[in-house]
Amino acid sequence: MSSESSKKRKPKVIRSDGAPAEGKRNRSDMEQEGKYYSEEAEVDLRDPGRDYELYKYTCQELQRLMAEIQDLKSRGGKDVAIEIEERRIQSCVHFMTLKKLNRLAHIRLKKGRDQTHEAKQKVDAYHLQLQNLLYEVMHLQKEITKCLEFKSKHEEIDLVSLEEFYKEAPADISKAEVTMGDPHQQTLARLDWELEQRKRLAEKYRDSLSNKEKILKEIEVKKEYLSSLQPRLNSIMQASLPVQEYLFMPFDQAHKQYETARHLPPPLYVLFVQATAYGQACAHMKSSQPPRQDKTLSVAIEGSVDEAKALFKPPDDSQDDESDSDAEEEQTTKRRRPTLGVQLDDKRKEMLKRHPLSVMVDLKCKDDSVLHLTFYYLMNLNILTVKAKVTTATELITPISAGDLLSPDSVLSCLYPGDHGKKTPNPANQYQFDKVGILTLRDYVLDLGHPYLWVQKLGGLHFPKEQPQHTVIADHSLSASHMETTMKLLKTRVQSRLALHKQFASLEHGIVPVTSDCQYLFPAKVVSRLVKWVTIAHEDYVELHFTKDIVEAGLAGDTNLYYMALIERGTAKLQAAVVLNPGYSSIPPVFQLCLNWKGEKTNSNDDNIRAMESEVNVCYKELCGPRPSHQLLTNQLQRLCVLLDVYLETESHDDTVEGPKEFPQEKMCLRLFR
Amino acid sequence: MDRITPLTVPLGQAEVFQALQRLHMTIFSQSVSPCGKFLAAGNNYGQIAIFSLSAALSSEAKEESKKPVVTFQAHDGPVYSMVSTDRHLLSAGDGEVKAWLWAEILKKGCKEMWRRQPPYRTSLEVPEINALLLVPKENSLILAGGDCQLHTMDLETGAFTRALRGHTDYIHCLALRERSPEVLSGGEDGAVRLWDLRTAKEAQTIEVYKHEECSRPHNGRWIGCLATDSDWMVCGGGPALTLWHLRSSTPTTIFPMRAPQKHVTFYQDLILSAGQGHCINHWQLSGELKAQVPGSSPGLLSLSLNQQPAAPECKVLTAAGNSCRVDVFTNLGYRAFSLSF
């Protein structure tokens, strides 16, 4: 390059100025160096400061020359041209110096630039290296931190504790001597052990799974077997029905009953269970023959099971319907009055609704009369009611006065004292009644049956007197304890009513029927006669003037039956007003007397009447006769006749005296006149 | 018609029987305790009830104070008669006389101190004892009743000393004539007989029914009650209530009472009588009816005046009869209240 540039310069130099070189020291350099001419090398040799001085000198010279030329030109003349020529040559030389200097400056500049460039490149390279290294450092640091933070999966595994590990792991895994010191090895060993254990457990799991499969298969097989058994059993049962009938062991029938019984509401269910149990127990006790259903007590369920099932349909639909219909009804009531009554009526009917199933119990008494009891359950009121009917073996001709004795309405009244069955025993019902405007249950009793307290107890429903009961707790123990007493009472009640029935028939004809085993209570000849026997109403009884004491003593309630008997002898007429308590033979009838004979005598003005009354009322126990004392009433009447006889005969100045009679001495009060 | 219907409580057999008993109860006899604070009443069922007069008369008397403090079964038959000595209550009815200690009587389960039966002629039936009489001078008790005799029993020894016969029918009542001493007895046979206790003989006989002024044949001839005040005697029953002068055996005043009287007594200057009909009649000696005080029983059988000096605040007249109630009269003019069995 330098040789090329020098070759180029040579022609330049030759062409441009052929003039002698003044002050060009570089020629000397050129001669020194030989053929080629390197200005680059010259640049290194020359001092830039001196070059700068030279430049300044040259510029000055040029300026001077120019100025001289100027002057000469302006003076004009001939020789001036030579001087101008001279100066021109000098200025050309100077120009060449300037060019050289310019070239040198350029070269210097170039060199400087190159050097800077080089240095810069180096610096850049270093810089890059530095950057690279820095990056690498950073990268490594990150890697290190990552490594340091690395949590290996093995730390998430719950390893067994160290002690356990050393205890359980076999020696070749635990390598105690190595692992004790080195935690890394220890962890490795533990991981090994963990793996070992897991493998074993996986084995076991697979085994158990296969076991389970086997067992499931076995179960399937057995189920198949059983389900094929059921139809066979059914067919056996069917086949055995005729045998059951033949042997009087209606298990199937009982089974069907129990099926239906499942749909009974809880109180009826309790009643059913207890009644059946009692019936069977009685049969066992009475007969020594093979046990059979006791004929005296039979229990059956009546009613529609489907309706009962329908009661348990989802309540949502019915509630929606109700609310809709309520809304409708409200609207209509605003428009038309008459529907209010209808709506209330419907609500009442709803409240008094009965459960579709009912339990029928038939009690047979010794004389073949049967008491049919049908028990109903009122769902909304949560009470049990009963309807009763008495049928007798032979047709009864009902005497007029005995109308009420066996009527379904009153035959069971006051079985237990005070239990008249006209009021609902559940205190909560009162609030329900107020909502629909029912005053008392009395009005509906004929239709629904009587809610006696003993019926509630038989169904296990216990109503405390003070608080209303909200839940249906049907209690078996309560029912069981009452069952026996109630059944006995029922039987006695029916029998006593039937006995009364018969007695009334004959009383109405004026004959006091005294049975032969009670004849000893009375003397052989009784002259006074019963003339009349009628029923009277409760209000009439209370109005009579000689019954005030009984009424005040609270013995004449509206659950009792009232009768009037008339006994005559000669001119003496004895009126007897009788209060018959529904619990007849255990609670005696109460007599109040009024004698019309030589004036009217009652217990307030004649001691004898008082004595007669107390004779019949208080000393009734000896008139009871043989158990079950159904003869009490007739004996009392007979005793009255006897007393009247005695009274009339012991009166002094009596026209009707017939002869001496024997006096029942102990009975008559001393202060009586004899 | 507005009638208050009585409460009909559900009655079981026991309650009905009790109610009937109470309705038909007759209280035959009463006796006041020696301390004057208690009254014993005997009824036709053989029960004796002890009422506390002091509690019933006090200002804080409640309903329970009108009930007996204790009731016990004393006899098998009615208790027709009772008297009190200063320590004992003697009751008699069914042929026996029993003694009860007043100090013990308030405790439950009290037993009789002793019981005696007078010697009867027939042992077939035991006649009742209708009347008891204490003779303080002799410390003896006279019993009279159905066997038509008067028996005297010595209270210390319990032995029966005399039997006075004379009545032809059973004896209703006895009265003591302090001065002589004589005992008057009236009976069913219509005669009042006076007995001298020292000689044990019948001193005088008055057959009341034979006197026309007082006899009332339609009622009978029986003498139901006797009371005597030394020379005077009042008796009644079948015949009209009459005041007699004993020495002359003449009826001096006849009290116009239709109903037969069962009990009569002298009180201060009045004669109190009671019988059939619910009133106690106050008579003046002249025969005029001073007052008729109604009681609560339809007929009265016994009157008792509590004149024990130990309890002046309990000085009342009590009347009992054909009911279970004993009427208490604090002032003779009206009935204060009734105790009831």
Side-chain angles (χ1 to χ4, degrees):
Chain A
M1 235 168 59
S2 64
S3 59
E4 281 179 10
S5 63
S6 66
K7 277 180 185 172
K8 272 187 193 170
R9 280 197 195 107
K10 262 187 191 181
K12 271 192 192 170
V13 168
I14 293 170
R15 262 194 225 139
S16 58
D17 55 9
E22 328 158 343
K24 287 278 176 178
R25 283 177 198 108
N26 13 9
R27 287 224 182 150
S28 57
D29 289 342
M30 192 179 77
E31 289 168 15
Q32 275 179 1
E33 279 177 39
K35 280 195 183 167
Y36 60 92
Y37 173 64
S38 145
E39 286 201 317
E40 288 88 3
E42 213 179 322
V43 162
D44 294 328
L45 296 172
R46 287 167 78 101
D47 178 22
R50 282 182 61 194
D51 283 339
Y52 183 60
E53 294 296 318
L54 186 59
Y55 166 71
K56 273 204 290 192
Y57 168 73
T58 315
C59 285
Q60 276 176 352
E61 287 291 309
L62 266 177
Q63 280 177 346
R64 186 182 54 85
L65 284 172
M66 289 297 143
E68 285 177 4
I69 293 175
Q70 167 91 35
D71 282 340
L72 289 172
K73 281 199 168 178
S74 51
R75 286 185 289 142
K78 222 177 188 172
D79 62 0
V80 157
I82 307 166
E83 277 181 23
I84 292 177
E85 189 65 36
E86 199 182 301
R87 287 207 176 65
R88 199 177 51 90
I89 296 170
Q90 278 178 346
S91 35
C92 285
V93 171
H94 286 310
F95 273 121
M96 283 183 51
T97 317
L98 278 178
K99 272 196 179 167
K100 171 121 186 150
L101 283 175
N102 185 30
R103 273 204 308 277
L104 284 179
H106 274 115
I107 289 169
R108 274 203 192 97
L109 184 66
K110 190 168 165 268
K111 267 202 177 171
R113 277 205 181 130
D114 284 342
Q115 276 180 340
T116 318
H117 191 67
E118 257 182 60
K120 202 166 143 219
Q121 270 190 334
K122 272 195 196 157
V123 166
D124 275 343
Y126 286 141
H127 197 69
L128 265 176
Q129 267 191 334
L130 176 66
Q131 293 271 346
N132 281 344
L133 285 173
L134 276 178
Y135 278 135
E136 220 173 305
V137 162
M138 220 162 62
H139 178 71
L140 283 175
Q141 266 178 348
K142 276 195 195 156
E143 291 291 303
I144 287 170
T145 32
K146 254 210 290 186
C147 280
L148 282 176
E149 283 172 9
F150 174 70
K151 285 191 185 310
S152 118
K153 269 207 178 167
H154 86 276
E155 289 180 19
E156 289 164 15
I157 305 175
D158 265 331
L159 296 173
V160 298
S161 69
L162 266 176
E163 306 84 39
E164 267 189 62
F165 164 66
Y166 278 119
K167 259 196 292 180
E168 289 178 11
D172 56 344
I173 296 186
S174 71
K175 290 188 279 231
E177 19 1 282
V178 175
T179 56
M180 279 294 194
D182 188 357
H184 173 65
Q185 290 297 326
Q186 192 179 58
T187 324
L188 280 177
R190 284 167 80 183
L191 286 170
D192 278 338
W193 171 235
E194 189 72 22
L195 182 65
E196 185 73 35
Q197 277 187 318
R198 284 190 188 204
K199 277 192 199 155
R200 282 192 216 157
L201 288 173
E203 273 292 324
K204 263 200 233 167
Y205 173 68
R206 270 195 294 274
D207 288 337
S208 337
L209 264 182
S210 57
N211 253 353
K212 183 175 129 183
E213 290 298 309
K214 259 196 290 176
I215 292 174
L216 275 176
K217 283 206 189 84
E218 276 176 32
I219 290 174
E220 281 299 322
V221 167
K222 286 191 182 156
K223 268 194 198 165
E224 290 271 341
Y225 176 64
L226 278 177
S227 58
S228 77
L229 192 58
Q230 170 75 344
R232 282 178 224 251
L233 283 178
N234 276 344
S235 59
I236 293 179
M237 290 264 289
Q238 289 288 65
S240 74
L241 267 178
V243 181
Q244 281 181 26
E245 299 240 346
Y246 186 69
L247 288 176
F248 297 108
M249 287 198 292
F251 285 127
D252 214 45
Q253 199 186 23
H255 186 68
K256 279 208 194 88
Q257 266 210 339
Y258 294 144
E259 272 297 314
T260 348
R262 282 197 317 177
H263 296 285
L264 286 172
L268 277 183
Y269 184 75
V270 169
L271 177 69
F272 172 74
V273 165
Q274 293 296 330
T276 342
Y278 182 73
Q280 286 174 355
C282 286
H284 281 285
M285 285 194 306
K286 281 184 195 161
S287 63
S288 55
Q289 296 160 359
R292 40 170 80 180
Q293 189 81 350
D294 184 271
K295 289 281 173 66
T296 62
L297 175 74
S298 70
V299 187
I301 303 179
E302 288 183 353
S304 146
V305 177
D306 293 328
E307 274 186 46
K309 283 190 200 158
L311 282 177
F312 288 101
K313 281 242 169 70
D316 302 302
D317 303 340
S318 52
Q319 270 180 7
D320 286 340
D321 291 341
E322 268 184 38
S323 60
D324 283 342
S325 59
D326 274 352
E328 283 176 15
E329 285 177 23
E330 275 176 23
Q331 286 177 8
T332 48
T333 46
K334 281 181 191 160
R335 284 184 232 147
R336 289 177 287 156
R337 289 275 166 143
T339 53
L340 182 64
V342 174
Q343 178 196 8
L344 209 54
D345 215 26
D346 287 342
K347 275 196 192 158
R348 279 196 204 128
K349 284 211 188 85
E350 178 65 33
M351 174 145 300
L352 297 171
K353 214 163 76 145
R354 293 204 288 229
H355 194 274
L357 292 176
S358 60
V359 176
M360 263 236 343
V361 176
D362 292 333
L363 268 180
K364 247 201 212 175
C365 306
K366 283 200 186 111
D367 55 350
D368 278 347
S369 52
V370 184
L371 172 68
H372 304 281
L373 296 171
T374 320
F375 295 91
Y376 300 99
Y377 176 60
L378 299 183
M379 297 183 291
N380 292 323
L381 298 180
N382 187 25
I383 50 175
L384 291 171
T385 60
V386 68
K387 275 200 195 174
K389 200 167 88 113
V390 178
T391 56
T392 46
T394 56
E395 184 63 39
L396 279 181
I397 311 165
T398 313
I400 307 167
S401 59
D404 276 345
L405 276 185
L406 290 176
S407 82
D409 190 27
S410 64
V411 67
L412 293 179
S413 167
C414 293
L415 197 64
Y416 289 91
D419 190 7
H420 50 73
K422 292 196 180 111
K423 213 173 78 121
T424 162
N426 184 356
N429 293 151
Q430 197 52 48
Y431 307 111
Q432 291 168 302
F433 285 168
D434 287 340
K435 271 194 236 164
V436 293
I438 299 178
L439 283 173
T440 87
L441 199 55
R442 193 187 282 226
D443 313 324
Y444 302 91
V445 143
L446 280 175
D447 188 39
L448 296 172
H450 290 266
Y452 295 112
L453 286 172
W454 54 268
V455 178
Q456 317 306 324
K457 287 191 181 144
L458 282 185
L461 291 172
H462 174 59
F463 296 110
K465 302 271 164 109
E466 273 83 30
Q467 311 128 356
Q469 185 118 352
H470 295 292
T471 52
V472 182
I473 308 169
D475 188 6
H476 277 266
S477 58
L478 188 61
S479 168
S481 56
H482 274 84
M483 178 62 71
E484 197 176 342
T485 21
T486 314
M487 288 299 154
K488 288 204 175 106
L489 279 175
L490 282 170
K491 278 198 200 159
T492 343
R493 170 63 65 96
V494 170
Q495 282 175 331
S496 71
R497 287 292 167 103
L498 285 173
L500 276 180
H501 211 89
K502 274 192 253 165
Q503 288 164 9
F504 282 15
S506 111
L507 285 177
E508 279 188 355
H509 287 105
I511 305 169
V512 182
V514 180
T515 61
S516 47
D517 37 4
C518 301
Q519 202 59 38
Y520 68 93
L521 292 167
F522 311 108
K525 191 163 167 220
V526 178
V527 186
S528 308
R529 273 182 11 257
L530 174 69
V531 167
K532 200 164 74 154
W533 174 264
V534 285
T535 18
I536 54 175
H538 170 57
E539 296 79 22
D540 295 335
Y541 179 83
V542 167
E543 298 282 321
L544 290 171
H545 59 278
F546 52 91
T547 57
K548 286 201 177 53
D549 297 330
I550 299 287
V551 173
E552 273 170 19
L555 290 171
D558 53 357
T559 50
N560 299 333
L561 302 166
Y562 300 95
Y563 301 94
M564 181 73 84
L566 191 58
I567 300 177
E568 273 185 11
R569 180 176 167 179
T571 55
K573 291 187 187 7
L574 180 66
Q575 273 184 312
V578 186
V579 180
L580 193 66
N581 194 296
Y584 163 55
S585 2
S586 49
I587 301 179
V590 179
F591 287 77
Q592 287 286 90
L593 306 171
C594 171
L595 178 63
N596 266 307
W597 179 64
K598 299 189 180 170
E600 193 178 280
K601 299 177 187 169
T602 63
N603 62 3
S604 45
N605 57 17
D606 190 340
D607 278 347
N608 299 312
I609 305 291
R610 198 155 181 272
M612 294 209 282
E613 279 178 4
S614 86
E615 174 70 22
V616 169
N617 287 339
V618 177
C619 307
Y620 71 92
K621 285 213 170 92
E622 41 191 49
L623 292 172
C624 275
R627 297 190 69 207
S629 59
H630 295 308
Q631 303 298 322
L632 182 55
L633 181 65
T634 45
N635 288 350
Q636 280 178 321
L637 283 170
Q638 187 75 339
R639 178 55 68 92
L640 269 183
C641 295
V642 171
L643 289 172
L644 184 62
D645 277 348
V646 172
Y647 175 78
L648 292 172
E649 279 152 20
T650 54
E651 276 290 279
S652 42
H653 312 282
D654 195 284
D655 307 323
T656 58
V657 160
E658 286 191 358
K661 302 285 265 195
E662 52 167 342
F663 309 112
Q665 273 186 337
E666 311 80 52
K667 306 301 183 292
M668 293 292 206
C669 160
L670 165 72
R671 309 279 172 156
L672 203 57
F673 9 155
R674 299 268 195 112
Chain B
M1 178 173 140
D2 223 46
R3 183 189 283 247
I4 306 165
T5 35
L7 188 66
T8 39
V9 180
L11 294 172
Q13 186 188 3
E15 289 105 341
V16 168
F17 186 61
Q18 255 184 17
L20 286 174
Q21 263 197 333
R22 282 169 59 98
L23 276 178
H24 295 279
M25 191 185 292
T26 313
I27 300 179
F28 282 115
S29 51
Q30 309 170 56
S31 182
V32 178
S33 68
C35 61
K37 296 205 175 112
F38 295 97
L39 179 72
N43 70 4
N44 59 334
Y45 300 119
Q47 298 165 331
I48 295 182
I50 312 288
F51 297 90
S52 167
L53 280 175
S54 49
L57 287 166
S58 73
S59 45
E60 316 101 33
K62 301 177 292 273
E63 274 309 303
E64 295 93 58
S65 328
K66 305 208 175 109
K67 292 268 165 196
V69 175
V70 71
T71 314
F72 57 93
Q73 188 76 26
H75 290 265
D76 296 327
V79 181
Y80 287 125
S81 171
M82 290 199 294
V83 286
S84 285
T85 62
D86 48 359
R87 283 178 61 223
H88 291 101
L89 172 70
L90 304 168
S91 64
D94 53 351
E96 280 187 330
V97 59
K98 294 188 185 177
W100 315 81
L101 202 58
W102 267 112
E104 308 261 324
I105 210 164
L106 290 174
K107 302 185 193 145
K108 286 218 178 223
C110 169
K111 290 253 161 225
E112 71 261 15
M113 292 288 297
W114 47 260
R115 58 160 89 171
R116 305 283 305 154
Q117 197 181 65
Y120 294 118
R121 275 179 299 189
T122 53
S123 50
L124 282 176
E125 62 180 59
V126 181
E128 68 282 2
I129 299 176
N130 287 333
L132 292 175
L133 191 64
L134 274 177
V135 186
K137 278 198 192 141
E138 299 183 338
N139 196 21
S140 68
L141 178 72
I142 303 186
L143 312 101
D147 66 339
C148 320
Q149 297 172 62
L150 282 91
H151 298 270
T152 330
M153 185 184 98
D154 188 275
L155 277 174
E156 266 188 46
T157 60
F160 287 94
T161 45
R162 307 185 203 95
L164 303 166
R165 294 191 196 106
H167 276 280
T168 51
D169 211 340
Y170 64 89
I171 301 169
H172 275 284
C173 47
L174 297 169
L176 181 68
R177 207 172 161 196
E178 282 277 334
R179 274 188 302 158
S180 316
E182 277 176 2
V183 172
L184 290 91
S185 64
E188 182 73 12
D189 56 357
V192 175
R193 295 174 204 268
L194 283 89
W195 309 86
D196 191 325
L197 285 173
R198 280 170 300 190
T199 58
K201 286 240 188 320
E202 192 176 318
Q204 202 181 347
T205 311
I206 302 174
E207 285 181 321
V208 179
Y209 64 96
K210 289 203 174 134
H211 293 255
E212 274 190 37
E213 311 91 351
C214 43
S215 81
R216 297 187 293 193
H218 60 273
N219 278 349
R221 50 163 86 162
W222 52 280
I223 304 293
C225 51
L226 269 183
T228 176
D229 189 19
S230 61
D231 290 332
W232 301 92
M233 173 200 77
V234 63
C235 69
L241 192 65
T242 335
L243 182 65
W244 294 79
H245 185 240
L246 276 175
R247 221 154 337 122
S248 56
S249 304
T250 46
T252 45
T253 332
I254 297 170
F255 300 97
M257 186 77 219
R258 266 192 50 209
Q261 300 298 293
K262 304 268 174 70
H263 194 104
V264 71
T265 178
F266 282 95
Y267 176 63
Q268 293 172 353
D269 56 345
L270 290 174
I271 294 176
L272 305 172
S273 77
Q276 219 171 51
H278 57 281
C279 300
I280 299 180
N281 309 298
H282 300 235
W283 305 96
Q284 285 178 336
L285 288 171
S286 57
E288 277 167 33
L289 180 65
K290 183 177 170 205
Q292 261 187 327
V293 182
S296 68
S297 316
L300 290 168
L301 291 174
S302 83
L303 298 171
S304 164
L305 271 167
N306 182 0
Q307 288 174 314
Q308 296 288 355
E313 74 275 6
C314 296
K315 186 172 176 198
V316 290
L317 169 73
T318 48
N322 281 343
S323 71
C324 58
R325 290 177 293 273
V326 177
D327 298 328
V328 177
F329 299 81
T330 46
N331 172 329
L332 289 184
Y334 63 91
R335 178 180 77 92
F337 56 88
S338 300
L339 307 164
S340 89
F341 250 78

